[in-house]
Amino acid sequence: MKETTQTQPGPLRVSASHRELLDQVLDKWSLLVMEELCDRPSRFNELRSAIPAVTAKSLSATLRRLERNGMVERIVGDRRPVSVTYRITPLGKTMREPVEALLAWTTTHLPAVEAARTAYDERADGGGHAVQSRPPD
Amino acid sequence: MKETTQTQPGPLRVSASHRELLDQVLDKWSLLVMEELCDRPSRFNELRSAIPAVTAKSLSATLRRLERNGMVERIVGDRRPVSVTYRITPLGKTMREPVEALLAWTTTHLPAVEAARTAYDERADGGGHAVQSRPPD
DNA sequence: CGGCATCCTCTTTGATACTG
DNA sequence: CAGTATCAAAGAGGATGCCG
């Protein structure tokens, strides 16, 4: 394990601006889209194919939001039936590292989380609360 | 063509399980609650005071979800008017690093994002799309 | 092909009130 | 104090249809 990073001093301040930005950038479809665009630029319908569960409306909204936040770039070709390509921006690329760290965390700890879920569900299922007494303060 | 030939950086796989876990742990109130509990254990109404915008219902739901996922621990004191304390678990602490990395990212890049937003809004306001021709493919 | 507009539903959230 | 129950409001998201 590498614990070279700061662990105990962190303020972990979650301001409204931070929250809003995370909401816009980590929402349901954004991560999938960013994942695709990190690999290569894609056109609208390529993205739809790559992410079958997304509807045109949601994809469109996601792309516009990401574009507005400077994460992706919308490139319109001058062909006839219009061809639009989306590409990740340099700013968008900077997001990759922290997001990957987060994803790595989920990969590492998902088993522990699932164990906790099972334990919790069994506890709730069995009857009352199995809690130990521990006087606070 | 290259399929999933990810190069140097990590895979960035966003599976359904990852997505679900992130949704449970990064949602609207969870980060605020975790932030509080990282500092010190707190009781229910302490958390309500610390996070004025949250309702009892939402806080309750958030805490139960975090508890189910093994991120926080619910400790019931044996006093008369019941005192319940919430404390972060070791598993919960492991989340702090990647979350802080993400928060640091927002802090670093929020100015760039806001600039992008302004530029986008002005572009949209001015009229149609200011698009440059760039033939894809 | 790449969208946006409309309608409609389903989920989430908040306000309020009540309980152990 | 620490919640739960209920209702109302809001919003995300899907389905469909049209347009450049």
Side-chain angles (χ1 to χ4, degrees), chain A residues 122-130:
Chain A
E122 283 176 3
R123 216 178 308 149
D125 186 43
H129 287 259

Side-chain angles (χ1 to χ4, degrees), chain A residues 5 10 12-13 18-19 26-27 35 39 68-69 83 85 94 96 100 105-107 113 117 121 134 136, chain B residues 6 10 12-13 18-19 26-27 35 68-69 75 83 85 94 96-97 105-107 113 117 121 136:
Chain A
T5 38
L12 197 73
R13 294 269 157 264
H18 291 163
R19 182 72 257 177
L26 294 182
D27 82 285
E35 177 186 10
D39 288 346
R68 194 175 100 96
N69 284 270
S83 77
T85 303
T94 67
R96 194 174 190 184
E100 277 185 20
W105 177 85
T106 65
T107 301
V113 170
R117 286 176 185 169
D121 291 344
R134 191 176 199 289
Chain B
Q6 294 290 338
L12 196 71
R13 294 261 161 268
H18 292 164
R19 183 71 256 178
L26 294 183
D27 81 284
E35 176 184 11
R68 193 174 102 95
N69 284 270
I75 302 155
S83 78
T85 303
T94 66
R96 194 172 189 183
E97 251 187 69
W105 177 83
T106 65
T107 302
V113 170
R117 287 176 185 168
D121 292 344

Side-chain angles (χ1 to χ4, degrees), chain A residues 43-45 60 64 74 84 86:
Chain A
R43 289 189 296 184
F44 190 83
N45 282 326
S60 176
R64 261 183 287 112
R74 183 174 181 273
V84 180
Y86 292 93

Side-chain angles (χ1 to χ4, degrees), chain A residues 3 18 54 69 78 87 94 110 116 126-127 129:
Chain A
E3 296 246 334
H18 291 163
V54 76
N69 284 270
D78 46 1
R87 183 193 308 198
T94 67
L110 186 56
H129 287 259

Side-chain angles (χ1 to χ4, degrees), chain A:
Chain A
M1 319 250 199
K2 43 191 167 72
E3 296 246 334
T4 53
T5 38
Q6 75 297 342
T7 309
Q8 86 281 53
L12 197 73
R13 294 269 157 264
V14 184
S15 78
S17 312
H18 291 163
R19 182 72 257 177
E20 189 196 9
L21 178 50
L22 290 182
D23 283 343
Q24 307 231 340
V25 139
L26 294 182
D27 82 285
K28 190 175 180 185
W29 302 113
S30 293
L31 280 190
L32 279 315
V33 170
M34 294 290 280
E35 177 186 10
E36 274 303 309
L37 295 184
C38 269
D39 288 346
R40 57 196 169 307
S42 296
R43 289 189 296 184
F44 190 83
N45 282 326
E46 284 183 311
L47 289 171
R48 286 195 69 178
S49 306
I51 312 170
V54 76
T55 62
K57 179 185 177 182
S58 298
L59 179 57
S60 176
T62 299
L63 285 169
R64 261 183 287 112
R65 186 170 33 234
L66 290 175
E67 186 193 1
R68 194 175 100 96
N69 284 270
M71 311 302 292
V72 309
E73 189 186 3
R74 183 174 181 273
I75 303 154
V76 181
D78 46 1
R79 293 162 159 195
R80 310 157 288 90
V82 272
S83 77
V84 180
T85 303
Y86 292 93
R87 183 193 308 198
I88 197 165
T89 63
L91 176 59
K93 279 182 187 160
T94 67
M95 203 186 69
R96 194 174 190 184
E97 252 188 67
V99 166
E100 277 185 20
L102 202 61
L103 256 20
W105 177 85
T106 65
T107 301
T108 303
H109 297 283
L110 186 56
V113 170
E114 285 176 337
R117 286 176 185 169
T118 303
Y120 180 95
D121 291 344
E122 283 176 3
R123 216 178 308 149
D125 186 43
H129 287 259
V131 288
Q132 81 275 29
S133 303
R134 191 176 199 289
D137 183 50

Side-chain angles (χ1 to χ4, degrees), chain B:
Chain B
M1 282 308 251
K2 61 189 75 167
E3 54 270 12
T4 51
T5 314
Q6 294 290 338
T7 40
Q8 335 55 18
L12 196 71
R13 294 261 161 268
V14 186
S15 77
S17 311
H18 292 164
R19 183 71 256 178
E20 188 196 10
L21 179 49
L22 290 183
D23 283 341
Q24 307 232 337
V25 139
L26 294 183
D27 81 284
K28 190 175 180 185
W29 302 115
S30 293
L31 279 190
L32 280 316
V33 170
M34 294 291 282
E35 176 184 11
E36 276 303 310
L37 296 184
C38 269
D39 288 346
R40 58 195 168 306
S42 299
R43 299 214 301 253
F44 189 84
N45 283 327
E46 284 184 310
L47 289 171
R48 287 194 68 178
S49 306
I51 312 170
V54 76
T55 61
K57 181 184 176 181
S58 297
L59 180 56
S60 177
T62 299
L63 285 169
R64 263 183 287 112
R65 187 174 330 122
L66 290 176
E67 187 194 359
R68 193 174 102 95
N69 284 270
M71 311 302 293
V72 309
E73 190 184 2
R74 185 175 179 271
I75 302 155
V76 181
D78 44 2
R79 292 159 159 192
R80 302 19 92 174
V82 274
S83 78
V84 179
T85 303
Y86 291 92
R87 183 195 306 198
I88 196 165
T89 63
L91 176 58
K93 278 182 187 160
T94 66
M95 203 186 68
R96 194 172 189 183
E97 251 187 69
V99 166
E100 276 184 21
L102 201 62
L103 255 21
W105 177 83
T106 65
T107 302
T108 304
H109 298 284
L110 187 55
V113 170
E114 284 174 338
R117 287 176 185 168
T118 304
Y120 180 95
D121 292 344
E122 282 175 2
R123 216 178 308 149
D125 186 44
H129 286 259
V131 288
Q132 78 276 27
S133 302
R134 194 180 195 287
D137 175 49

